[in-house]
Amino acid sequence: MNEMILELLKESGAAGWEVTDTVKEGWEFYFIRHELDQNRIVDTEHVTVCVYEAIGEGKELGSARMEIPAGAEESEIREMIAQLRREASLVRNPYYELNRPGSAVRKMEKPADPALIAEDFLKTMTELPETENEDINSYEIFTNSMTRRFINSNGIDVTSMFPESMIEVIVNAREAGHEIELYRNYTSGTCDAEHLKLDLAKTLQMGKDRLHAAATPALGSYDVVLADQDALRVYEYMTAHLSADYIYRRFSDWQIGTEAIRDVKGDRFTVKSAAHLNNSSHNTGYDSEGAAVKDLTLMKDNVPEAYCGSQQYAYYLGLKDCFRAQNYEISAGMKSAEELRSGNYLEVAEFSDFQVNPITGDLAGEIRLGYLHQNGEVKIVSGGSVSGNMHVLMKEMYGSLEQRQYDTMVIPEVTRLCNVQIAGAE
């Protein structure tokens, strides 16, 4: 980091300031089929400054941030800080205090070697069960060793080191002149070879099945099973409603000590913040405001016990030792995946788009591929859509005993939502 930035901030007269210095050392690979098209080494540094300005005799606090370009001269940095102070003076939030150094000190991860992580990805991609008609069209691999230093005017100076990876894959399936293309994006800390192989093998089969799909019938109110990354949207609704930001802004009415959802027939869920998850890309130790991250139960059996969130809203709510959660664990349910996959239901394996509004809970998605289980028979379907509202669906929602990790979240491997509205494509 350019230490001159810190000196100029100290001299600026600003009410407070924060500096985030992020260094990325990484490898990138671009493949067409399994032929390397290009690769490169990445070594970048980004320094972002946030300046705070006291307004109205200290009753209000404004803020503004920008990235300081590498190689900026002293005069340029002075002008940028002055500009940030001017911009911050136009923002009027109720006063709050920035984080101060805490007693908790997080253990740093060992520096990751992005070349070794990339090697694991490259090996995994050669072990997929491709066929003449179902294969990999192309893929891109990004592996990084991240170092993030955070400093603020209250004396926090902490550094986090963590691995961060992503792989994008395009799968093709073809038959009799027809071709299907499926896109997958996986993020993680390092390479989770076992789950990557299993998921891409499943995707190859899905491409084949999509070629034989019939139109989804109008099912009306029907049970829906989710067993892939789309299920994350369901559980992100819960984590959002347990944030101090949502509570203060009245986006969430989930109060500590009171059942979030009443008259529940299905599973009751426990949500935890996890300081560390194996293979997460967010094992940072400290959040983006310098607060130490810790293990904390946010909700137990559908009853909120604590909130996570930004320092601004935590201060307004009077919360102590608050932090932005980096990883989450959602409890397992009472039934096995096999039990949840019984009776009549539609398992949606692929959406064109699937969204859960984190504020209203409205859920909607267009079905690209589904497996309709009806009276002991299975029919491959496509088209139509699902819709519902999480506040209602959580009354009869089930998670499997088996769990699955998707980067920063551990959730039930299979999720069953009862009485979802399904519009047909016929």
Side-chain angles (χ1 to χ4, degrees):
M1 179 191 289
N2 185 345
E3 296 297 325
M4 178 172 49
I5 295 174
L6 296 178
E7 294 304 316
L8 293 176
L9 284 168
K10 292 174 184 177
E11 298 170 4
S12 69
W17 49 263
E18 297 171 337
V19 179
T20 304
D21 179 16
T22 305
V23 176
K24 176 194 290 188
E25 298 178 2
W27 287 70
E28 298 179 358
F29 295 85
Y30 302 83
F31 283 84
I32 299 175
R33 303 297 180 188
H34 289 286
E35 295 294 326
L36 180 63
D37 182 53
Q38 60 176 304
N39 72 288
R40 62 184 178 182
I41 296 175
V42 176
D43 188 354
T44 62
E45 180 177 15
H46 296 275
V47 178
T48 301
V49 170
C50 184
V51 167
Y52 294 85
E53 197 71 12
I55 308 164
E57 298 181 351
K59 295 180 180 180
E60 296 174 309
L61 190 69
S63 64
R65 70 177 61 240
M66 72 165 60
E67 182 173 335
I68 305 297
E73 300 292 337
E74 179 178 343
S75 59
E76 295 174 300
I77 297 173
R78 284 186 185 277
E79 176 53 35
M80 283 185 276
I81 293 173
Q83 179 184 335
L84 285 172
R85 290 194 65 188
R86 291 192 294 271
E87 292 175 359
S89 69
L90 302 176
V91 180
R92 295 181 175 271
N93 289 313
Y95 174 79
Y96 61 97
E97 295 180 359
L98 304 187
N99 278 323
R100 296 183 180 278
S103 58
V105 178
R106 307 304 308 179
K107 181 181 178 182
M108 284 196 302
E109 296 274 318
K110 293 181 180 179
D113 186 336
L116 293 178
I117 300 173
E119 185 178 325
D120 291 338
F121 277 106
L122 294 170
K123 181 176 183 294
T124 301
M125 292 303 294
T126 65
E127 298 173 349
L128 301 176
E130 297 177 80
T131 70
E132 184 178 345
N133 293 322
E134 296 88 41
D135 56 20
I136 303 299
N137 174 294
S138 57
Y139 55 98
E140 300 175 0
I141 297 170
F142 307 86
T143 61
N144 303 301
S145 176
M146 308 293 294
T147 302
R148 187 177 75 191
R149 183 184 178 192
F150 176 88
I151 311 166
N152 77 2
S153 52
N154 281 345
I156 292 179
D157 188 347
V158 293
T159 299
S160 303
M161 302 179 71
F162 52 99
E164 179 186 270
S165 304
M166 181 177 73
I167 179 169
E168 295 181 296
V169 185
I170 295 176
V171 169
N172 283 140
R174 62 193 70 80
E175 185 178 287
H178 297 284
E179 186 166 346
I180 293 294
E181 181 177 283
L182 298 177
Y183 168 80
R184 291 291 182 270
N185 179 308
Y186 306 94
T187 58
S188 58
T190 57
C191 176
D192 186 347
E194 179 184 357
H195 281 130
L196 181 60
K197 283 190 285 189
L198 286 172
D199 203 84
L200 286 175
K202 177 182 173 183
T203 303
L204 289 165
Q205 180 62 47
M206 286 167 52
K208 180 179 179 179
D209 290 344
R210 177 68 178 81
L211 293 165
H212 301 279
T216 304
L219 298 170
S221 182
Y222 213 75
D223 288 7
V224 168
V225 163
L226 302 174
D228 59 15
Q229 293 193 60
D230 287 316
L232 290 172
R233 308 290 87 79
V234 170
Y235 296 103
E236 286 168 356
Y237 171 79
M238 298 182 190
T239 60
H241 277 249
L242 292 165
S243 73
D245 308 49
Y246 270 48
I247 294 296
Y248 180 80
R249 297 161 77 185
R250 298 184 180 180
F251 294 160
S252 170
D253 60 0
W254 289 15
Q255 296 300 313
I256 290 174
T258 301
E259 276 191 304
I261 304 294
R262 298 183 184 276
D263 304 318
V264 172
K265 297 179 183 178
D267 288 331
R268 286 174 165 78
F269 292 92
T270 295
V271 179
K272 295 181 180 180
S273 160
H276 183 278
L277 282 181
N278 287 334
N279 210 36
S280 166
S281 62
H282 279 51
N283 289 331
T284 57
Y286 299 89
D287 70 9
S288 59
E289 297 177 309
V293 177
K294 59 186 177 182
D295 295 332
L296 180 66
T297 298
L298 302 176
M299 182 167 75
K300 185 174 182 180
D301 297 331
N302 278 12
V303 179
E305 293 189 345
Y307 304 129
C308 283
S310 68
Q311 170 61 11
Q312 177 183 357
Y313 294 108
Y315 183 87
Y316 295 159
L317 293 173
L319 304 177
K320 303 297 182 182
D321 299 321
C322 202
F323 58 91
R324 296 177 185 266
Q326 307 297 288
N327 303 299
Y328 290 99
E329 292 183 77
I330 313 296
S331 62
M334 303 297 291
K335 298 180 180 180
S336 68
E338 183 179 1
E339 289 176 290
L340 294 185
R341 286 188 169 114
S342 63
N344 294 338
Y345 64 94
L346 174 66
E347 179 165 344
V348 183
E350 181 83 5
F351 286 99
S352 294
D353 187 31
F354 181 71
Q355 297 182 10
V356 177
N357 186 305
I359 298 175
T360 66
D362 289 332
L363 171 156
E366 183 181 345
I367 301 166
R368 193 174 184 191
L369 176 66
Y371 299 93
L372 177 59
H373 295 251
Q374 203 167 45
N375 303 322
E377 297 183 354
V378 182
K379 182 180 181 181
I380 303 171
V381 298
S382 181
S385 63
V386 303
S387 62
N389 183 277
M390 283 301 301
H391 190 79
V392 176
L393 295 174
M394 279 186 67
K395 292 179 182 294
E396 194 169 2
M397 170 179 164
Y398 300 90
S400 64
L401 284 166
E402 301 87 347
Q403 292 178 292
R404 168 76 190 273
Q405 181 178 342
Y406 294 98
D407 194 5
T408 61
M409 289 188 76
V410 172
I411 66 173
E413 185 176 292
V414 174
T415 300
R416 182 161 177 155
L417 302 171
C418 299
N419 303 312
V420 179
Q421 294 301 308
I422 301 178
E426 294 180 335

